Amino acid sequence: MLGVLRSMLTTLSTTMRRPVTRQYPESHRPIPERERAFPLLLWDHGVDEPYCTGCQACERACPCKCMTVTMKDNPRQAEGTSKRRKIVDTFWIDYGRCMRCNICVEVCNFDAIAMNNTWTGIELSAYDRHDLVMDLDELLALSRAGGIVPWAEYVGEENQKLPPRAVQAARTLAGRGPA
Amino acid sequence: MSVEQWVFYVLAAIAVGGAAVTVFARDIVRAALGLIVALLMTAGVFVLLSAEVIGLVQLLVYGGAVAILILFALMITRAREVTYRLDGPQKPLALLAGATLAAAIGVAVVGTVFPTNTDHINPVGFVEMSTALFQTYAVPFEVASLVLLVALVGAIIIARQEERQ
Amino acid sequence: MMPVLGYWFGIAWLDAILRLAVIAGVMTVVVIFLTYAERKVIARVQQRLGPTRTGPAGLLQGVADALKLVLKEDLRPTTADRWVFELAPFMVFVPVFLTFVAVPFTRDLGVRFLSLGLFYIVAVSSLNIVGFIMAGWGSDNKYALLGGVRAAAQMISYEVPLVLTVLGVAMVASSLDIRVITERQDVVPYIVWQPLAFVVFIIAGLAEMNRTPFDIPVAESEVVGGPTVEYSGIRWSFFQLAEYSSLFVLSALGADLFLGGYIWPFGSNPPGWLQLILILVKTSFMILMIFWVRATFPRLRIDQLMSYCWKVLIPVTVAQLFFNGLVLVYRWPDILLLVFSGALLVGATAATAVAVRRAARRPRDAQAVRDRRLQYARGA
Amino acid sequence: MSSLFANWVAVLFGSIIGTLLVAVALVGNRLLAPRDPGRMKGTSYECGMLPIGRAEGNIHVRYYLFAILFLLFDVEAAFLFPWAVVFRSIGAFAFWEMTLFLAILMGGLAYAWKKGVLRWS
Amino acid sequence: MVADFDTIDININVGPQHPSTHGVFRMVLTVDGELVRDLDAVVGYLHRGAEKLLENQDYRQGIGIQDRTEYLAQFPAEQSYVMAAEKLGGFVVPERAEYVRVICVELNRIASHFMFMGAYGTDVGVFGTSFIYGFRERERVYRFFEELTGERMMYSYFRVGGLAWEVMDGFEEKARALLQELKRGINDINGLLTRNEIFIARTRHVGEISAERAIEYGLSGPVLRSTGVRWDVRKDEPYSVYDRFDFDVPVGEFGDCYDRYMVRLEEMRQAVRIVEQALDQMPKSGPIMPEKMPRMLRLPAGEVYVPVESARGEYGVYLVSRGGNHPWRCRVKSPCFTNLQALREMTVGEYVADSVVILGSIDLVLSEVDR
């Protein structure tokens, strides 16, 4: 029964090792910088409005059709405080359907959408799956508060066809959530 | 009545109840369980008679082995309930057989001379009993093993025949 | 026989009730603790932490579980055999509770010290097999039926080696009184004289309790809980209670019979508190071993389990009885007990290992399997 | 009161207390737990599907043979218990007597083994 | 009277809600005592129309669907899909990207096999220990992937033509450190199960299938190799850069559950070897995408079938394009679906308890079976 003894020695040896458990709510695993948790919208702190113009490029590109976007005329363009002629009106993302493929980020022409890579953000446990449908305010909240480093920053140079201004804006937002 | 008597009546009542279930239950497994209850209570009665060893043997052999044997045997027959009629043309014969058995038991009970002084029993000690078993009753003891062997062989032969067919 | 003066309040029946009440309380606490301890130990084996949330270091997890079980809805399938289904937990639990009556924890601590204690424990503990069959049959569930029958077959089979091993010890001690057996070990514990008996005792005990690697009747991955599959809430908890109580009783019994119980190695008369510590340490040792085994082993299959019992365990334990008798009757030196028992242990172990290896290396009788499949294919 | 009675009264009360323990817990559960029976709740578990027929009649004959074997060895155990205590005082006679007894039983086991009772399939 | 002693056959549903059906697989067992007389496998509980979805998505979107189809060995699935598209479009993948792909795929194979080891141990009856061992190591791999791709499971990292983005800093050192940990994890599993007599007794000669029958069924992967057939797409139809590595294809002897386990265990070791070689040979810098990739991918009309050796066997994508930015038809040849056919033959005549072991030894991924 040497094999049986060998099994018991194996279990004994792992008993001696340190547990690998992480006590989740108290201690968070460090999140890699590239982490793409769920898409969020970015807030243009320069003019105090979303980058998103509601062009629906992401909506069309989404493989699982989890987004709904509408656009409207930007009232602030008339006032002259913003250069955006159109601005997002409503933006819905169903986090229950999103498969976090990053395609929406890649297709966005305005660098308006980014993947969350912090622990903070939108609470993703819900009693009702309808609670996982996020509206514009919820999607913008984290960026508005200055708590996100957008994924786009780390995309290889070849792949990112982003306006330099947008990259710059994303960098200025670099405040990390609790790691 | 003394405490022992009370205990006896309770045990006896449960035993009779179990026996009744055995006879009247339509579900055969329930009937078997009734039988097991009756057997267990009998073990209690043995202990009450200061026959500890017999009581324990009753528990071990009947409560454990025989009970399982009966239950297995019943489950092999695979019917959850007896759905066919139990009485038939043999009814009078069965009555006759039952009456004969009852009469025989009755005669035996009446004919036995019970010791009159039952307040006091002289229990045979465990060691004395065991010594007697292995010295005085050595031959019956050995024969018991043969009986068991024959039972086993018989069961195997029957079961294998059934399996082959 | 126990002097009457030793009874609390001097009244036998009152004393019995009081002691049993204490046992009932202690048993509940012990079971709650054991479920916690098992989860903790197995968690550490698996490099996890186990329960940590409920109470300090998760200590109250068992209590929380117990409360949850009491508050759960008690379900019964409508097609179940009502009486058989509802009475099965009684039949499973009460015999285990009754075994507590005869286990001495220290020289004075225990409900009763029966002169036939060993016989009594064996006889009583065989009763709860019926409970498993009842649960299996009463649930009207195929998994339960399969599991119940397996449970019964397994428990009756392993009852035999269990009895034969404790008999080996009883032969050496010439007594069935567990307290006497324990106190005969003031110099050498019987694990030394009877190593085979000890190993077989643990193996058979594991099988009696349906624990890994013999948890075939309740196998989660096959029969999803076996006889207990339809039980929920409090009714289910009695199966659990029975399992862990018998784990405790069996470990205490093993400590008494093989490890010198509450006296060794401090000679024949250690003080009461030391006795308690000794028995607790030894019982915990047994329990830890069982947990460790549970965290390590895969499960056997029913046919392997049966053939292991009948082809290996029973022959060797019977052989051990024979050698014990030989040594004891002809008054050969005691060391021969160890020699014979040890030789049997090594022989049986090696034989099993070799048999498994050889069977693994040899191609299976493919024809037989093909025949069976063909026969089935034709039948279907 | 005899010591015999004093011992066994514990067993008697043990069975009563054990039964009461279960019964009290069941009553407590009846009082505390919700009761909301439903048709689907009342079906027996078969992996989320409705059961195919009732659970009956699937006991392998093999089990029965094991039970018979067990009966044999159980009776043997019943004899062994007294024997284990007294065989030394009786001496060699009792030892060889039991050896013969065991030999006959092991002969039965060997027969069963040879006949393939211990093998399945 | 005689017939009364026969055990009647009863049918038992095992699954869809059963602890060891690895998802929502269902098998109806006809049981004769403790033996399985017949087995009826029922699939389709996880059918999500992945193939239909692929027809309606452009080539980039389809990659995410592949992740979901084969959720334990995602990279091979992605690889198969992007390779099909590359073949159709005639793209040449930069060498560096190929190496990164191979590293990802092999690490993914290890992760998938760890999952198998864990679940298989549980099927055989280990109380969670093998499961936790397997998950512990798999988690390490997933954490590495997360750092690389930003996702734990649904990577969408391979792109038609190359990779979505450059590897992270310290990729090579991290990968080598990971390999050291994985070797230790492999040893843990090996120590826990391989020589354990109970494990051997439970799996040896259980669920045997002969090499001829395996080929007739069209089995692939470890299930096929356990029968002694040395067939591995990586060796026999080398794709990507597999012809540059020195690795063995382990095969079994009897085609039983134990062999399937051993083949997978050895494959993990071989995968470690491959990754080590790939790390050595990998160009330290260079492009990861071809120079000229159109923003919106439109592939010429045509059809193509590209098989890869996934963790479970030959995973192939059959792509039909009629021009345009999405496939006209995309058929996934899933190894599990094929391997599952043999389940009945392997199980009938065995013990009921073995049915779950045999099922486990196929290493099922239901979403890939049902698609």
Side-chain angles (χ1 to χ4, degrees):
Chain A
M1 297 268 113
L2 287 174
V4 169
L5 289 180
R6 187 171 162 193
S7 300
M8 296 201 69
L9 285 180
T10 307
T11 43
L12 188 66
S13 85
T14 50
T15 314
M16 301 302 166
R17 291 184 212 160
R18 243 160 39 103
V20 291
T21 308
R22 194 176 280 274
Q23 302 254 50
Y24 165 61
E26 282 95 51
S27 90
H28 286 141
R29 170 173 76 82
I31 282 195
E33 288 175 319
R34 297 180 165 197
E35 172 71 27
R36 30 179 229 267
F38 279 100
L40 286 175
L41 294 182
L42 293 179
W43 187 257
D44 188 348
H45 286 265
V47 282
D48 221 24
E49 67 180 11
Y51 282 115
C52 181
T53 58
C55 68
Q56 296 173 334
C58 49
E59 187 183 337
R60 282 192 299 274
C62 181
C64 46
K65 310 286 174 236
C66 69
M67 295 172 166
T68 308
V69 191
T70 55
M71 86 176 16
K72 63 177 181 192
D73 290 330
N74 190 0
R76 295 181 54 189
Q77 203 240 354
E79 294 167 20
T81 48
S82 167
K83 284 180 186 154
R84 291 186 181 83
R85 274 197 299 125
K86 300 279 184 184
I87 194 94
V88 59
D89 181 21
T90 57
F91 205 118
W92 304 91
I93 301 181
D94 184 353
Y95 279 5
R97 297 185 66 173
C98 172
M99 60 187 218
R100 313 188 291 178
C101 59
N102 205 43
I103 290 180
C104 50
V105 179
E106 286 170 30
V107 299
C108 184
N109 292 316
F110 304 97
D111 192 27
I113 193 164
M115 302 302 273
N116 186 5
N117 67 342
T118 64
W119 277 104
T120 50
I122 316 272
E123 178 53 57
L124 292 178
S125 52
Y127 288 104
D128 185 345
R129 59 181 170 179
H130 301 298
D131 294 347
L132 290 175
V133 179
M134 300 296 163
D135 63 14
L136 184 62
D137 285 340
E138 285 169 305
L139 291 171
L140 280 168
L142 190 62
S143 170
R144 212 173 198 169
I148 180 171
V149 186
W151 155 247
E153 216 179 310
Y154 303 98
V155 174
E157 290 296 322
E158 304 89 281
N159 278 349
Q160 58 178 3
K161 301 184 171 62
L162 303 171
R165 173 191 45 77
V167 176
Q168 193 57 44
R171 286 218 175 92
T172 56
L173 295 175
R176 297 280 157 88
Chain B
M1 279 198 294
S2 70
V3 181
E4 279 93 341
Q5 270 172 314
W6 270 111
V7 174
F8 168 74
Y9 283 122
V10 172
L11 290 179
I14 301 177
V16 172
V21 170
T22 311
V23 176
F24 294 116
R26 288 186 73 83
D27 184 323
I28 47 174
V29 171
R30 279 191 201 180
L33 293 173
L35 180 64
I36 292 167
V37 169
L39 292 172
L40 293 184
M41 292 308 133
T42 317
V45 173
F46 278 132
V47 171
L48 213 57
L49 291 170
S50 299
E52 284 181 285
V53 184
I54 306 296
L56 287 177
V57 169
Q58 175 89 6
L59 275 189
L60 188 70
V61 176
Y62 284 94
V66 172
I68 306 293
L69 197 65
I70 292 172
L71 283 169
F72 276 178
L74 293 182
M75 286 180 183
I76 288 176
T77 61
R78 86 191 179 200
R80 255 187 191 273
E81 265 177 47
V82 181
T83 46
Y84 46 88
R85 285 165 61 83
L86 280 173
D87 50 352
Q90 297 148 325
K91 215 171 178 180
L93 285 177
L95 187 68
L96 188 67
T100 315
L101 189 62
I105 293 174
V107 168
V109 169
V110 172
T112 312
V113 182
F114 290 102
T116 42
N117 183 5
T118 49
D119 288 347
H120 183 74
I121 10 178
N122 258 334
V124 183
F126 179 59
V127 175
E128 297 155 51
M129 190 214 75
S130 313
T131 314
L133 177 63
F134 294 107
Q135 277 185 327
T136 321
Y137 300 104
V139 176
F141 166 68
E142 291 299 336
V143 171
S145 72
L146 286 176
V147 172
L148 293 173
L149 186 67
V150 170
L152 174 71
V153 172
I156 291 175
I157 288 173
I158 293 172
R160 288 207 67 84
Q161 261 176 2
E162 301 297 350
E163 248 184 13
R164 217 168 292 132
Q165 285 167 357
Chain C
M1 293 289 161
M2 182 132 185
V4 176
L5 281 178
Y7 295 143
W8 296 348
F9 304 108
I11 307 167
W13 61 268
L14 186 61
D15 169 84
I17 292 179
L18 287 175
R19 282 176 192 245
L20 283 164
V22 171
I23 285 287
V26 169
M27 182 196 70
T28 317
V29 174
V30 161
V31 167
I32 285 177
F33 179 73
L34 279 182
T35 51
Y36 165 78
E38 172 163 42
R39 292 176 63 176
K40 264 310 206 203
V41 168
I42 291 184
R44 287 315 288 249
V45 170
Q46 299 168 352
Q47 289 184 265
R48 294 185 289 119
L49 293 174
T52 54
R53 298 278 149 173
T54 328
L59 263 170
L60 296 179
Q61 187 64 46
V63 180
D65 288 347
L67 278 177
K68 181 206 77 172
L69 287 171
V70 173
L71 294 174
K72 266 182 88 164
E73 184 177 357
D74 182 20
L75 291 172
R76 173 168 49 82
T78 39
T79 49
D81 189 331
R82 176 164 183 183
W83 283 101
V84 178
F85 182 86
E86 302 214 335
L87 288 178
F90 288 88
M91 200 59 200
V92 168
F93 173 72
V94 174
V96 177
F97 185 68
L98 279 180
T99 54
F100 274 95
V101 170
V103 179
F105 294 105
T106 74
R107 183 167 295 159
D108 309 310
L109 208 63
V111 180
R112 284 295 183 271
F113 305 102
L114 306 178
S115 59
L116 297 178
L118 215 47
F119 196 177
Y120 167 81
I121 287 186
V122 167
V124 167
S125 64
S126 70
L127 290 181
N128 71 348
I129 305 173
V130 176
F132 281 98
I133 294 199
M134 284 167 73
W137 177 262
S139 302
D140 187 28
N141 178 307
K142 287 158 203 162
Y143 294 114
L145 186 59
L146 214 56
V149 178
R150 281 180 183 183
Q154 163 179 346
M155 287 165 92
I156 57 174
S157 295
Y158 278 79
E159 182 95 7
V160 177
L162 190 73
V163 170
L164 294 178
T165 52
V166 298
L167 271 169
V169 176
M171 281 171 78
V172 180
S174 264
S175 174
L176 293 177
D177 188 335
I178 302 171
R179 209 157 50 144
V180 173
I181 297 177
T182 309
E183 304 206 346
R184 294 257 159 91
Q185 304 175 55
D186 48 357
V187 184
V188 186
Y190 284 155
I191 185 176
V192 176
W193 298 144
Q194 304 273 279
L196 172 75
F198 179 69
V199 173
V200 176
F201 179 81
I202 289 191
I203 293 176
L206 286 173
E208 284 286 293
M209 292 181 291
N210 297 332
R211 288 184 74 85
T212 319
F214 307 105
D215 56 345
I216 298 159
V218 293
E220 180 72 23
S221 63
E222 301 151 24
V223 289
V224 270
T228 63
V229 62
E230 290 296 349
Y231 287 85
S232 61
I234 197 76
R235 234 177 264 281
W236 175 83
S237 74
F238 281 102
F239 287 92
Q240 187 81 350
L241 200 61
E243 182 184 332
Y244 283 86
S245 310
S246 57
L247 170 67
F248 182 64
V249 167
L250 217 88
S251 302
L253 189 67
D256 272 342
L257 294 183
F258 293 99
L259 304 179
Y262 49 84
I263 53 170
W264 191 82
F266 292 96
S268 56
N269 205 9
W273 58 270
L274 190 59
Q275 291 178 13
L276 195 62
I277 290 178
L278 279 175
I279 189 82
L280 279 180
V281 166
K282 288 171 189 175
T283 310
S284 316
F285 168 73
M286 299 276 292
I287 292 174
L288 269 181
M289 289 248 299
I290 291 170
F291 286 170
W292 184 12
V293 164
R294 175 151 197 213
T296 306
F297 286 154
R299 179 186 305 126
L300 281 164
R301 200 173 55 209
I302 185 80
D303 63 314
Q304 295 162 345
L305 170 104
M306 291 304 216
S307 35
Y308 184 59
C309 176
W310 291 99
K311 292 180 183 172
V312 179
L313 292 185
I314 290 176
V316 294
T317 42
V318 167
Q320 189 195 4
L321 284 192
F322 172 75
F323 286 123
N324 276 357
L326 213 55
V327 172
L328 293 170
V329 161
Y330 292 104
R331 299 187 196 289
W332 293 346
D334 280 353
I335 190 76
L336 281 176
L337 287 175
L338 168 64
V339 171
F340 283 128
S341 183
L344 280 174
L345 177 61
V346 173
T349 316
T352 318
V354 168
V356 171
R357 288 278 151 74
R358 194 179 297 161
R361 241 177 279 126
R362 192 177 46 220
R364 185 162 73 162
D365 184 4
Q367 195 57 44
V369 180
R370 214 168 300 136
D371 286 351
R372 196 160 70 212
R373 285 181 186 163
L374 265 179
Q375 177 201 334
Y376 282 158
R378 240 179 267 127
Chain D
M1 262 187 285
S2 66
S3 63
L4 188 77
F5 178 77
N7 278 340
W8 287 95
V9 77
V11 177
L12 181 68
F13 282 125
S15 42
I16 294 171
I17 291 178
T19 313
L20 278 181
L21 214 63
V22 184
V24 167
L26 286 178
V27 169
N29 176 256
R30 183 58 61 89
L31 294 177
L32 292 171
R35 278 184 73 73
D36 179 21
R39 260 183 71 205
M40 291 317 284
K41 267 189 193 172
T43 57
S44 59
Y45 167 80
E46 204 167 305
C47 296
M49 310 299 288
L50 283 177
I52 314 171
R54 293 195 77 182
E56 56 190 10
N58 192 43
I59 313 303
H60 208 286
V61 185
R62 194 70 70 227
Y63 284 121
Y64 182 72
L65 291 176
F66 277 117
I68 294 233
L69 265 179
F70 169 61
L71 181 65
L72 240 68
F73 278 84
D74 219 25
V75 173
E76 174 219 321
F79 283 119
L80 272 169
F81 274 108
W83 176 79
V85 176
V86 298
F87 80 103
R88 264 203 268 195
S89 56
I90 301 179
F93 175 67
F95 170 65
W96 290 110
E97 192 185 351
M98 186 50 85
T99 305
L100 179 64
F101 186 89
L102 283 177
I104 293 173
L105 277 190
M106 293 311 281
L109 181 61
Y111 175 76
W113 191 337
K114 190 172 147 278
K115 282 286 165 186
V117 172
L118 307 183
R119 211 180 50 227
W120 297 55
S121 80
Chain E
M1 184 60 211
V2 168
D4 278 351
F5 266 101
D6 286 348
T7 48
I8 49 168
D9 299 347
I10 59 170
N11 293 311
I12 306 184
N13 279 315
V14 178
Q17 301 298 328
H18 187 278
S20 21
T21 50
H22 301 264
V24 282
F25 178 65
R26 174 178 168 217
M27 47 187 183
V28 183
L29 297 181
T30 306
V31 174
D32 164 23
E34 284 283 346
L35 297 174
V36 178
R37 187 180 267 271
D38 199 1
L39 181 145
D40 191 9
V42 184
V43 298
Y45 287 91
L46 204 59
H47 177 68
R48 297 176 298 187
E51 289 177 2
K52 195 71 193 167
L53 279 174
L54 284 164
E55 290 172 18
N56 293 301
Q57 313 226 317
D58 68 37
Y59 292 101
R60 179 165 57 185
Q61 292 171 339
I63 296 165
I65 306 287
Q66 289 298 334
D67 282 336
R68 274 156 190 71
T69 305
E70 164 59 297
Y71 58 77
L72 288 181
Q74 303 90 333
F75 276 131
E78 285 186 18
Q79 191 188 22
S80 172
Y81 184 76
V82 297
M83 272 167 52
E86 283 155 9
K87 203 166 166 186
L88 212 52
F91 301 111
V92 179
V93 184
E95 197 176 44
R96 185 171 154 80
E98 287 284 19
Y99 277 104
V100 175
R101 278 187 190 179
V102 165
I103 291 167
C104 288
V105 165
E106 292 305 318
L107 284 176
N108 209 171
R109 188 186 314 279
I110 296 175
S112 171
H113 282 347
F114 265 125
M115 172 76 202
F116 163 80
M117 299 291 162
Y120 192 49
T122 310
D123 286 340
V124 181
V126 182
F127 187 75
T129 306
S130 68
F131 202 71
I132 303 285
Y133 283 5
F135 264 66
R136 190 186 67 206
E137 303 306 323
R138 177 175 174 259
E139 187 60 34
R140 294 192 213 281
V141 181
Y142 277 15
R143 210 163 286 171
F144 177 80
F145 284 159
E146 189 180 17
E147 241 179 293
L148 176 64
T149 70
E151 265 297 341
R152 275 169 44 82
M153 284 179 85
M154 307 303 165
Y155 310 117
S156 303
Y157 182 53
F158 294 176
R159 290 297 149 89
V160 180
L163 301 171
W165 39 82
E166 186 52 72
V167 298
M168 74 279 200
D169 299 337
F171 172 77
E172 197 182 325
E173 301 84 70
K174 280 174 182 164
R176 284 188 200 279
L178 174 69
L179 286 181
Q180 292 313 312
E181 284 171 339
L182 292 182
K183 279 181 193 164
R184 194 177 174 192
I186 295 171
N187 284 339
D188 279 348
I189 292 277
N190 184 30
L192 183 71
L193 293 179
T194 306
R195 298 218 162 270
N196 190 316
E197 275 88 355
I198 300 176
F199 181 74
I200 296 175
R202 270 312 294 284
T203 53
R204 193 43 127 181
H205 300 315
V206 168
E208 282 181 350
I209 190 160
S210 66
E212 300 84 60
R213 292 297 285 161
I215 293 172
E216 281 169 26
Y217 273 118
L219 307 188
S220 60
V223 182
L224 174 66
R225 288 193 283 275
S226 72
T227 63
V229 181
R230 206 176 289 274
W231 168 259
D232 187 318
V233 184
R234 291 174 296 173
K235 273 274 192 224
D236 296 291
E237 292 174 6
Y239 54 93
S240 190
V241 285
Y242 275 109
D243 46 357
R244 302 183 198 172
F245 305 123
D246 173 31
F247 65 98
D248 301 328
V249 178
V251 292
E253 189 180 349
F254 299 113
D256 56 14
C257 289
Y258 187 72
D259 277 343
R260 274 164 235 154
Y261 161 82
M262 283 308 283
V263 164
R264 289 196 174 96
L265 193 73
E266 190 52 37
E267 259 182 32
M268 281 157 77
R269 298 205 175 106
Q270 297 302 328
V272 169
R273 270 179 73 192
I274 295 175
V275 176
E276 277 171 348
Q277 293 173 44
L279 286 170
D280 291 338
Q281 297 175 13
M282 191 171 102
K284 298 296 171 251
S285 61
I288 53 162
M289 280 294 254
E291 280 299 308
K292 281 185 194 152
M293 280 303 284
R295 186 104 197 266
M296 176 53 85
L297 206 59
R298 286 175 195 281
L299 296 186
E303 56 188 87
V304 63
Y305 172 72
V306 177
V308 300
E309 184 69 26
S310 165
R312 267 154 277 279
E314 180 187 323
Y315 188 98
V317 168
Y318 173 66
L319 214 55
V320 183
S321 167
R322 296 196 166 175
N325 64 354
H326 52 78
W328 181 78
R329 173 82 171 99
C330 180
R331 166 93 171 87
V332 174
K333 187 263 169 201
S334 80
C336 285
F337 184 72
T338 324
N339 292 351
L340 205 52
Q341 296 174 84
L343 180 68
R344 180 170 181 274
E345 173 153 340
M346 287 194 248
T347 311
V348 167
E350 302 281 1
Y351 290 88
V352 175
D354 286 336
S355 63
V356 296
V357 176
I358 296 168
L359 183 68
S361 77
I362 293 180
D363 192 14
L364 215 51
V365 169
L366 255 304
S367 72
E368 182 222 88
V369 173
D370 296 342
R371 296 190 294 284

